[in-house]
Amino acid sequence: MGIDEVCNILLEGARRGGPREQLADAPDCLDRVHAYACSKGALPEALTEYVREALAPDMLEQLPSFGLQLICFLKRITTFLGKSTELEEAASRARAELLRRHISAVAKSCDPTRLSDRQKVSLRQFHRWLTSPGTPADKSTAQVFASGPLADVVAVATEAEGVERCPICEDAVFLRELSHGVCGQSHRFGRCMNSLLVCDSVPPRRCTTCDTFAHRTPIWPGDTCCLYCGKGLT
């Protein structure tokens, strides 16, 4: 199978993929793109053009998860090649959109009357991220937290309430990075992509492709795969 055919398969999924279609379902195609990029020192032109199209206003938000995951995958390749391209912005926006969709799905499906303490803290973390500067706005997701039972869950009287605590020293761990959390004493933990809580169980589950983490015991049902590529967590 030539690189042109590989690109056509990936682009078909990126533009028309179903809600359950994951990038990790096409490992052979991904391996071939990676091999091509390593040998040529650049991505195939068809995939580079796809990224340019995705950066058009409101375009990226319309892509299926497969298409967003493809952008994240292409960014990892260019990082490996040591090249900085427009993929930096595209991948950042793609990851944010994947996380926003995950948060929206969790918020709309959870039962506010049966939440565990950790799920409540996770919802507060979701709300903090959604309302932080630079996070893609989405009225429907914001509305879920703005009124009704979930509004009571995320409401806190002061900035300090509901903040995570370091498992080692009990110092506050604020949500400043999606990949990890660091307390005031410099204790560092991976941050669970599915809950935005720091991973305090050892070892956490991990996506070996994206180098992302998830709690050993899932906080939310169904978090068996990486948000950013669809690969099963180990």
Side-chain angles (χ1 to χ4, degrees), residues 193-194 205-208 212-215 223-227 231-234:
M193 74 184 96
N194 291 307
R205 290 174 297 153
R206 179 170 173 261
C207 173
T208 54
T212 48
F213 300 93
H215 268 284
D223 68 343
T224 58
C225 297
C226 176
L227 287 180
K231 183 178 180 180
L233 301 173
T234 58

Side-chain angles (χ1 to χ4, degrees), residues 73-137:
F73 169 75
L74 297 176
K75 171 60 174 65
R76 290 193 295 275
I77 291 180
T78 59
T79 299
F80 177 78
L81 295 175
K83 296 187 176 183
S84 178
T85 67
E86 62 261 72
L87 270 165
E88 191 77 42
E89 177 189 354
S92 177
R93 288 174 53 192
R95 289 171 69 90
E97 177 62 16
L98 286 164
L99 178 56
R100 186 201 62 75
R101 292 180 188 182
H102 168 69
I103 292 173
S104 179
V106 169
K108 291 175 181 177
S109 64
C110 71
D111 182 350
T113 66
R114 304 182 64 180
L115 295 171
S116 68
D117 288 342
R118 303 205 83 174
Q119 287 176 332
K120 291 178 182 178
V121 178
S122 174
L123 287 171
R124 290 171 185 149
Q125 294 289 72
F126 289 164
H127 183 256
R128 285 192 181 98
W129 180 76
L130 286 169
T131 55
S132 63
T135 298

